[in-house]
Amino acid sequence: MLTAESVWNNCLKFVKDNIQIQAYKTWFEPIKPIKLEDNILNVQVPSKFFYEWLEEHYVKLLKLALTKELGNNARLVYIIKMENTFGNLKPFIEKIPSQYKSNIPSQKVDIPLSNLSTELKNPFIIPGIKNLKIESQLNPNYNFDNFLEGDANRLARSAGMAVSNKPGGTSFNPLLIFGGVGLGKTHLAHAIGVNVKEKFPEKTVLYISAEKFTQQYIDSVKKNNRNDFIHFYQIIDVLIIDDVQFFSGKTGTQDVFFHIFNHLHQNGKQVILTSDKAPVDMQDIEQRLLSRFKWGLSAELQRPDYETRVSILKNKLFRDGVEISDEIIDFIAKNITINIRELEGAIISLIAQSSFNKKEITLELAKNVVDKFVKNTKREVSIDYIQKIVSEYFQMDVSTLQSKTRKRHIVQARQLAMFFAKKYTKASLASIGSQIGHRDHATVLHACKTVDNLSFTDKQFRKYVEDLSKKFTI
Ligand code: ADP
Ligand code: MG
């Protein structure tokens, strides 16, 4: 008789003969056969990423293998096991890949907020109701164990630890984690939530992106249950909102969040926020909200140093069950320095390249992959470099450009430097100002506006902008 195990074992034999052993170990060994119903094989995979990877890279192979075993009507259903830190039900979320869709209605793979929205509609949600089941929406794969420590994240990481040991009970309330793209804000925010749930299972924790929060709020206004929305958030013990810079310019959402925040804070509840900017650099966020953000601790995640990059790479490879020589790790860590997501991306494409082309992972292959990565990522030019180029263009010294003089051509050069610094770097207005002749952020803002205006109205000036732009974009 056919069983899920026997069918899967035969599939595995077929797969093993057709791909590299390393790829096999990484992507196929962790799969568990769960059940077989007629010609439908259900297999369990460890994460959504895993499922997507299989779908993207091995779907043909899997289909072949499965057809061999179960005939032309073979179907494969992935079950993504989401470990739920809550310990309540809903262990499985299923998704049927598009190729196999015909007979079976498909469901979404996502950490569902569906529970949340039914709760929101529910009129009986009033503050103080305990035992209300709220899915925390946490990703257990983002925890402290695999959030490696380094100089660049030590403060934020330990503040996160402190908060999770005593949610609402430290002066880090709110805890605002800020830093550039791919430096671990989301990871750390989840880790705090996961840790709180481990230590205080009775606490209600909720992770939500600012974007989703905004959508929910807009929905609640449409459906006329704004108060239910507010009440719902007011019963949370630990509220984690990711990417609050998304609130900028959205006054309605800011207003509602302000009320929720005040309520939580007054009641000793913990608020954790992440943002891609420091509070001083956030734009179009109401002053009263900004001042709340600064009440607790703002901790920055900076770019990881070389040692940290190496340990992150090693840790990632270890978890993926892939071995790569130290020489290659060193090479990647030295060449990809901007952010951690790119480090991980390089590793993933390295593994992919090697399994597609059935090649060993060699230094040469690593060089190719890194080359592509580095080329494809826009290099950030520095403010110093911009000042140097602009000064050369106008044949003056950098110190003249930075000087206090009001001579028109010097002022213009300075304004252009500020304009390009705003355009091509991620530096804040304040930081641009302080680097270009110790000016304040208002001066930089004014410079940007002037350059914008003049390039419309003044032909000669437009030529300056075009010439200089070319120098920065090659
Ligand atoms: P952000 O939210 O700041 O854009 P993420 O939290 O999404 O960044 O992190 C990007 C990737 O880098 C994630 O896969 C995350 O697990 C990984 N990462 C970030 N910081 C660390 C760290 N200190 N140790 C290990 N992995 C990390
Ligand atoms: Mg993020």
Side-chain angles (χ1 to χ4, degrees):
M1 211 192 78
L2 292 180
T3 63
E5 282 77 25
S6 69
V7 169
W8 183 241
N9 279 338
N10 288 339
C11 287
L12 282 184
K13 276 184 206 137
F14 178 78
V15 169
K16 202 171 181 176
D17 286 341
N18 283 284
I19 63 172
Q20 279 211 329
I21 187 69
Q22 204 159 57
Y24 174 81
K25 279 191 177 154
T26 310
W27 303 108
F28 288 88
E29 279 186 353
I31 302 177
K32 286 193 199 131
I34 298 294
K35 68 175 178 195
L36 182 70
E37 291 166 316
D38 300 329
N39 48 5
I40 305 170
L41 178 66
N42 293 253
V43 295
Q44 180 184 310
V45 295
S47 69
K48 182 175 171 215
F49 171 75
F50 216 93
Y51 146 76
E52 286 170 348
W53 185 271
L54 288 168
E55 271 290 279
E56 214 177 310
H57 303 295
Y58 299 111
V59 70
K60 282 203 187 120
L61 191 63
L62 275 167
K63 190 166 185 172
L64 264 175
L66 213 62
T67 313
K68 256 177 60 166
E69 295 307 306
L70 296 172
N72 279 335
N73 291 327
R75 306 260 179 279
L76 184 65
V77 171
Y78 297 99
I79 298 171
I80 298 173
K81 179 129 200 239
M82 301 264 193
E83 299 291 343
N84 196 317
T85 47
F86 242 113
N88 58 17
L89 303 170
K90 195 187 269 312
F92 300 134
I93 300 149
E94 303 188 357
K95 158 109 184 183
I96 294 106
S98 46
Q99 285 81 354
Y100 302 103
K101 243 177 204 162
S102 51
N103 293 346
I104 317 164
S106 94
Q107 294 171 42
K108 249 185 112 205
V109 170
D110 198 2
I111 308 177
L113 263 187
S114 52
N115 282 29
L116 199 53
S117 42
T118 44
E119 307 274 15
L120 288 180
K121 270 183 261 144
N122 241 335
F124 63 74
I125 292 181
I126 42 170
I129 285 198
K130 288 290 168 199
N131 301 328
L132 187 71
K133 251 192 210 159
I134 297 172
E135 292 275 346
S136 55
Q137 315 297 334
L138 291 166
N139 179 348
N141 297 322
Y142 282 161
N143 51 46
F144 275 114
D145 290 340
N146 59 22
F147 189 80
L148 300 188
E149 184 173 342
D151 286 344
N153 64 29
R154 191 158 289 122
L155 171 69
R157 192 178 188 278
S158 50
M161 285 275 204
V163 162
S164 48
N165 287 332
K166 235 178 151 192
T170 66
S171 52
F172 308 151
N173 199 13
L175 173 63
L176 177 86
I177 302 159
F178 70 95
V181 179
L183 292 179
K185 300 182 294 293
T186 299
H187 187 142
L188 181 55
H190 277 278
I192 298 170
V194 168
N195 202 6
V196 170
K197 279 313 292 181
E198 268 164 22
K199 296 206 163 100
F200 309 95
E202 76 292 350
K203 286 208 189 288
T204 311
V205 179
L206 182 70
Y207 166 90
I208 188 156
S209 68
E211 190 175 355
K212 220 154 207 168
F213 180 91
T214 306
Q215 278 164 13
Q216 286 182 352
Y217 167 67
I218 294 170
D219 279 354
S220 81
V221 172
K222 273 196 204 130
K223 293 182 188 144
N224 229 339
N225 52 13
R226 182 175 181 272
N227 283 340
D228 293 342
F229 173 83
I230 295 177
H231 289 159
F232 173 84
Y233 276 94
Q234 286 180 340
I235 60 170
I236 308 285
D237 295 316
V238 177
L239 177 61
I240 306 168
I241 304 199
D242 202 0
D243 288 321
V244 291
Q245 75 277 359
F246 189 82
F247 287 161
S248 89
K250 304 190 174 64
T251 44
T253 314
Q254 286 180 35
D255 190 52
V256 82
F257 178 64
F258 179 74
H259 290 294
I260 292 168
F261 179 91
N262 285 342
H263 181 94
L264 294 178
H265 199 272
Q266 274 159 20
N267 288 284
K269 305 301 171 64
Q270 179 71 45
V271 178
I272 296 148
L273 308 166
T274 80
S275 163
D276 68 354
K277 295 182 196 65
V280 282
D281 295 324
M282 288 186 200
Q283 277 162 11
D284 295 321
I285 301 263
E286 284 174 48
Q287 207 47 49
R288 56 177 188 168
L289 206 50
L290 278 183
S291 84
R292 299 291 185 286
F293 288 176
K294 294 180 208 158
W295 274 0
L297 175 76
S298 303
E300 182 172 11
L301 290 176
Q302 291 165 334
R303 288 188 192 172
D305 55 21
Y306 171 78
E307 280 75 25
T308 315
R309 296 200 295 275
V310 168
S311 27
I312 289 173
L313 283 173
K314 286 194 169 159
N315 186 265
K316 167 109 188 102
L317 289 165
F318 176 74
R319 278 185 290 137
D320 285 354
V322 178
E323 272 179 41
I324 291 186
S325 75
D326 282 351
E327 189 191 12
I328 296 175
I329 292 177
D330 171 76
F331 177 79
I332 298 174
K334 278 197 178 121
N335 284 281
I336 297 190
T337 56
I338 314 267
N339 77 44
I340 298 165
R341 192 170 295 141
E342 282 180 5
L343 272 185
E344 293 190 337
I347 286 290
I348 291 172
S349 44
L350 199 56
I351 299 174
Q353 290 275 339
S354 98
S355 48
F356 290 152
N357 307 330
K358 306 201 190 307
K359 277 194 212 150
E360 282 283 295
I361 297 183
T362 57
L363 188 60
E364 199 196 329
L365 189 63
K367 277 181 182 154
N368 284 337
V369 168
V370 166
D371 243 15
K372 281 202 201 97
F373 249 83
V374 174
K375 252 187 233 140
N376 289 338
T377 7
K378 224 169 115 209
R379 282 276 145 145
E380 200 180 297
V381 286
S382 71
I383 295 179
D384 282 347
Y385 179 73
I386 290 172
Q387 297 189 74
K388 185 170 152 271
I389 296 292
V390 174
S391 309
E392 271 170 16
Y393 180 79
F394 289 109
Q395 296 170 352
M396 60 178 76
D397 295 332
V398 174
S399 60
T400 314
L401 179 130
Q402 292 181 340
S403 69
K404 298 268 178 247
T405 172
R406 305 217 129 266
K407 280 191 191 128
R408 185 154 171 270
H409 75 286
I410 298 176
V411 172
Q412 281 193 347
R414 191 159 57 230
Q415 289 179 328
L416 279 162
M418 289 175 174
F419 169 83
F420 284 113
K422 181 71 203 144
K423 187 162 175 191
Y424 292 121
T425 74
K426 292 200 188 76
S428 64
L429 294 171
S431 142
I432 292 170
S434 80
Q435 292 180 66
I436 307 186
H438 300 291
R439 306 303 206 280
D440 64 10
H441 82 280
T443 309
V444 180
L445 197 60
H446 176 72
C448 295
K449 283 187 185 145
T450 310
V451 172
D452 261 341
N453 287 338
L454 284 180
S455 11
F456 271 111
T457 53
D458 181 336
K459 219 167 139 201
Q460 175 62 49
F461 196 84
R462 181 158 63 239
K463 173 116 180 31
Y464 295 157
V465 175
E466 283 167 4
D467 286 353
L468 283 164
S469 292
K470 279 190 205 125
K471 295 186 192 287
F472 296 122
T473 44
I474 308 168

